Amino acid sequence: MNSDEQKWLEEAVRLATDNVTAGGGPFGALIVRDGELLATGTNQVTPNLDPTAHAEVVAIRAACQLIGDFKLTGCVLVSSCEPCPLCLSAALWARVDKVIYAADRDDAAKAGFDDREFYELFGKPRESWPIGIDQVGIEQYFEPFQAWVSKPDKRAY
């Protein structure tokens, strides 16, 4: 780890700690590109009543708005804790180059945030999941994709 990464991680941890005092969850994140801080995010799940408002997602959304693009190629996601599957998926969709984090999933579990459940769930058959996930075939199932394929001016992602 270089000194910049150390500094970024310290900032993410500071954001997370301050966010607890402000009423949010104990998670903070940064998006950095070429050594420049683009955006920060803190966990806003309970203040915003939004289960997707994880620190990493908040930071990714802010960075994308700032640069005017949905791709964060060339960026680093810096998180106070190992990203959960939701946040890791968001980082993959955003095309960040790298993710670094301070605490890990075991540390989060000690504080009552057991993301391991979700990591493990994805390895199990869907029939055993706590929610039902069923494909229901309808005649028009492919129409949205056909509209996409036929659209000449689409912006692929």
Side-chain angles (χ1 to χ4, degrees):
M1 174 172 40
N2 65 44
S3 63
D4 285 340
E5 290 176 338
Q6 174 84 30
K7 179 182 69 171
W8 301 335
L9 283 168
E10 289 171 0
E11 177 63 11
V13 169
R14 185 195 65 74
L15 283 170
T17 304
D18 290 351
N19 196 50
V20 173
T21 304
F27 303 96
L30 317 171
I31 299 292
V32 178
R33 183 175 63 190
D34 297 327
E36 178 186 341
L37 177 64
L38 294 182
T40 64
T42 55
N43 182 283
Q44 298 297 306
V45 170
T46 55
N48 291 352
L49 305 176
D50 179 353
T52 68
H54 291 202
E56 298 89 341
V57 173
V58 171
I60 287 168
R61 288 173 179 162
C64 288
Q65 291 298 306
L66 178 74
I67 67 169
D69 198 350
F70 53 84
K71 290 183 182 177
L72 295 176
T73 306
C75 294
V76 177
L77 170 61
V78 181
S79 182
S80 62
C81 187
E82 181 179 6
C84 72
L86 168 75
C87 297
L88 189 54
S89 295
L92 289 165
W93 276 110
R95 311 297 200 281
V96 299
D97 287 5
K98 184 177 181 180
V99 176
I100 61 173
Y101 58 89
D104 67 15
R105 65 182 81 173
D106 296 320
D107 299 315
K110 291 174 192 170
F113 297 91
D114 199 353
D115 298 345
R116 292 175 300 191
E117 289 180 33
F118 297 113
Y119 278 105
E120 293 168 2
L121 181 67
F122 289 117
K124 295 178 181 176
R126 284 188 176 175
E127 299 79 37
S128 68
W129 288 23
I131 62 171
I133 302 176
D134 298 309
Q135 181 180 15
V136 178
I138 63 169
E139 190 175 317
Q140 306 86 348
Y141 78 99
F142 200 75
E143 286 180 9
F145 297 113
Q146 187 58 50
W148 175 257
V149 169
S150 301
K151 185 173 175 56
D153 61 342
K154 64 183 166 272
R155 187 170 178 201
Y157 59 97

